[in-house]
Amino acid sequence: MATSHESSGNSSRSRSRSEQQCQVMCYHGEIVPLREVKYNGPTYRKKFYGCSYWPRTCGYFKWADEVHEIRYVQMRLLKKDTKIAELEMEKGFLEDKIKRLKETKLKLDDVVEELSIENSEIRGDCMLLKLTRDFFLV
């Protein structure tokens, strides 16, 4: 390229908090400084990440807005992955709760069955007592 590139800030104090938190690494693993196009032209003052050895040996170059767009998409993806994990965990809790409720229902069904049998027996006894009473009253 026919443009001159200089670092836009030598101090980490001049960088924003988000730039400090998400540092860009070049192809050989070094932190890439944020630079700015200094020559007049269509890209004048446009920010980019270029390795300190760029363009001689490393070749790493990305426009800053592209990097920020990638980070934005990565953050959205991370948020969605986190939400999916939370929902999967909640689903597991709900499945366990459903399992416990089904077990409780089966136990209650057994109790209802026993009470129904007992109720039938009591009704039978009542009918027998009524018939016996009616027989002796006649």
Side-chain angles (χ1 to χ4, degrees):
M1 287 187 138
T3 57
S4 170
H5 311 289
E6 294 179 18
S7 183
S8 64
N10 294 333
S11 168
S12 63
R13 281 180 266 142
S14 66
R15 293 186 180 170
S16 71
R17 175 176 271 168
S18 64
E19 288 171 358
Q20 289 174 356
Q21 290 173 348
C22 301
Q23 295 176 329
V24 177
M25 306 295 276
C26 70
Y27 298 129
H28 61 281
E30 290 191 19
I31 296 172
V32 180
L34 181 62
R35 300 167 179 268
E36 187 175 276
V37 176
K38 296 295 182 183
Y39 278 107
N40 287 333
T43 59
Y44 177 67
R45 296 191 58 111
K46 188 169 181 178
K47 295 186 184 318
F48 68 96
Y49 290 94
C51 178
S52 299
Y53 301 107
W54 180 87
R56 294 181 296 276
T57 57
C58 181
Y60 183 87
F61 174 90
K62 285 270 190 239
W63 291 111
D65 55 355
E66 291 173 5
V67 171
H68 298 301
E69 287 173 15
I70 290 169
R71 286 184 184 151
Y72 173 74
V73 170
Q74 287 172 334
M75 285 302 297
R76 288 192 59 196
L77 182 61
L78 178 63
K79 286 180 183 179
K80 288 184 185 282
D81 286 346
T82 302
K83 185 65 175 179
I84 289 170
E86 289 170 355
L87 291 171
E88 286 173 344
M89 187 181 301
E90 184 178 348
K91 178 185 173 212
F93 290 139
L94 291 173
E95 287 172 342
D96 289 343
K97 187 174 184 177
I98 289 169
K99 182 179 176 183
R100 289 191 310 272
L101 288 171
K102 284 181 177 180
E103 290 170 357
T104 301
K105 182 189 177 295
L106 288 174
K107 289 177 185 175
L108 290 173
D109 286 344
D110 290 343
V111 169
V112 167
E113 179 73 23
E114 290 172 14
L115 289 173
S116 178
I117 292 170
E118 188 177 324
N119 187 28
S120 295
E121 291 172 355
I122 291 172
R123 282 184 182 195
D125 291 345
C126 286
M127 291 294 276
L128 185 59
L129 284 173
K130 186 176 180 184
L131 287 173
T132 305
R133 185 192 70 186
D134 289 344
F135 179 75
F136 285 110
L137 288 176
V138 175

